[in-house]
Amino acid sequence: MNIAIIASEAVPYAKTGGLADVIGALPRYLKKLGIQTTIFLPRYNDIEGTFVKDLQIEMRKVFTVKVFKKKNYYFIDYPPFFKRDGLYGTKGVDFDDNCERFTLFCKAVSRFINEQNYDIVHCHDWQSALVPLYIKLNKTKTKSIFTIHNLGYQGKFPRSKFSLLGVDEKYLKHNGIEFSNDINFLKAGIVYSDFVATVSETYAREIQTPELGFGLNDVLKKRSAHLYGIINGLDYDLWNPQSDDMIYYPYHDFTGKMKNKVSLAHECNIKAKRPFIGMVSRIAGQKGFDILTKVVDEIVDMGFNFILLGTGEEQYCDKLKALSQVYATCISVNIKFDNKLAHRIYAGCDFFLMPSLYEPCGLGQLISLKYGTVPIVRKTGGLADTIKEFDPSTQSGNGFLFTEYSSQALIEAVSRAYRLYCSRELFKILSQSCMEYNFSWEESAKKYKKLYQILLKS
Ligand code: ADP
């Protein structure tokens, strides 16, 4: 089986969030199952690679695009579009030519793929969502799967840009690319792929409801016979406290973990003798920052220290930075993208907070489990599928959950976590048992393999 994977980010080349972790890991685990993969990415910077060929791509005018190869990756190179500070925008504001950038990417990839022999193209999120349509138009035998990692980002652009796509008007109307009088790349992916997948079973159900369907719930419902939920795995080669060379002290137990806590306190300039709640996150409404920013002071007054690492919307960053000045010895706010500090926060904190409004899968809770950092999460999407409330009487469960999307419900979950922290022995038991959970890619890759097999027989 020969699969082309098309995405806009992948570890180690470019990352803004969990999509990059998935694309960086899934191919390696598919390979273990005998599946060959080739990954297509934009060439954002001077990634070394061998020049393969030029492609002449028409998009109102002719663009000369270069293709570079490195191992099983192909990079689509057009420097005016891709060599920029930021993948999709800067300071939380999208680039205004994202339609042009990712139409060019999809067209170039589709042209290149047509000259090769792939059984399946597996596209991810709106940036690659035009590929299934282009593949269909070329009438090859290649089949397509489209995985939605986040329905909140759809690639919506003014209708006037439709002619950039170079396809017949009939694809605009009538269950096509048009949505609320705009064009919508994600919708194109949903409508024109053979199969649609998303990154957890709960999220697969949620996106078919008006509450979390972002207007596409009916479109998704129509595809429900071919809509699958497969939870992401975690790449334990990269995320493993026993072999992690980015943390202060690699560890396998609670005692080792506590040494990391002391060093993290030192690095972040906060008091060590309090429970730590950490967050490593895009700072966006989706991640629950509206309900959180209202109660950070209450969380600190309860007895916690709070450490945040993230980038994103200025309104939340400013509020959080202001709070960190008021509570200088208890709150550390780090507005940057910093992989090393991320590893250290996962290792050094006692709890990891994800109060998300919605969460397609979520990797933060899976990483924190591996590092013995107890998740406090809202019960939605992949968080609901992976975290169960800890029951002190049976010692079952692996975290703390709340359901209602409110500051009050969040505080109640945080208080339960605090009470547990105070009964030291139980907290230690929970932290150690979190480390034992296994959400490796092995199982999820097997599910993708099965899906590919079903698709090839369909
Ligand atoms: P999403 O994909 O919605 O952003 P996930 O929880 O699925 O959220 O994945 C987020 C990934 O990005 C995790 O690997 C997390 O550690 C990482 N990450 C997010 N923000 C930062 C940051 N500022 N610095 C370093 N890593 C980050």
Side-chain angles (χ1 to χ4, degrees), residues 234-273:
L234 185 64
D235 188 352
Y236 289 125
D237 291 342
L238 296 181
W239 297 105
N240 186 342
Q242 297 192 41
S243 54
D244 191 332
D245 58 10
M246 291 194 223
I247 63 177
Y248 313 97
Y249 305 100
Y251 62 93
H252 64 277
D253 63 7
F254 188 75
T255 314
K257 180 172 173 59
M258 287 304 110
K259 283 168 72 182
N260 283 276
K261 179 174 175 179
V262 174
S263 299
L264 180 66
H266 191 69
E267 180 170 345
C268 293
N269 232 343
I270 53 173
K271 294 181 206 158
K273 284 193 176 147

Side-chain angles (χ1 to χ4, degrees), residues 15 17-18 21 280-282 287 309-310 336-338 346 362-364:
K15 171 167 170 172
D21 293 292
V280 179
S281 175
R282 284 185 295 112
K287 299 292 182 180
L309 169 64
K336 57 180 174 177
F337 197 95
D338 182 339
Y346 287 115
L363 288 179

Side-chain angles (χ1 to χ4, degrees), residues 31 39 71 115 128 140 151 171-172 179 220 237 239 246 248 250 253 258 268 280 285 303 306-307 379 410 414 455-456:
K31 192 173 175 194
I39 303 108
K71 297 183 187 157
E115 296 161 7
S128 60
T140 58
L151 195 65
Y171 295 102
L172 178 61
F179 180 74
L220 284 155
D237 291 342
W239 297 105
M246 291 194 223
Y248 313 97
D253 63 7
M258 287 304 110
C268 293
V280 179
F306 177 67
I307 303 179
K379 192 173 180 184
L410 161 60
V414 170
L455 177 57
L456 288 179

Side-chain angles (χ1 to χ4, degrees), residues 31 35 38 64 77 88 133 231-232 272 333 338 347 349 359 382 394 453 457:
K31 192 173 175 194
I35 297 176
T38 308
T64 301
D77 182 69
Y88 317 121
L133 173 61
I231 192 96
N232 288 332
V333 171
D338 182 339
C349 286
E359 194 60 71
T394 59
Q453 286 167 333
K457 281 190 200 138

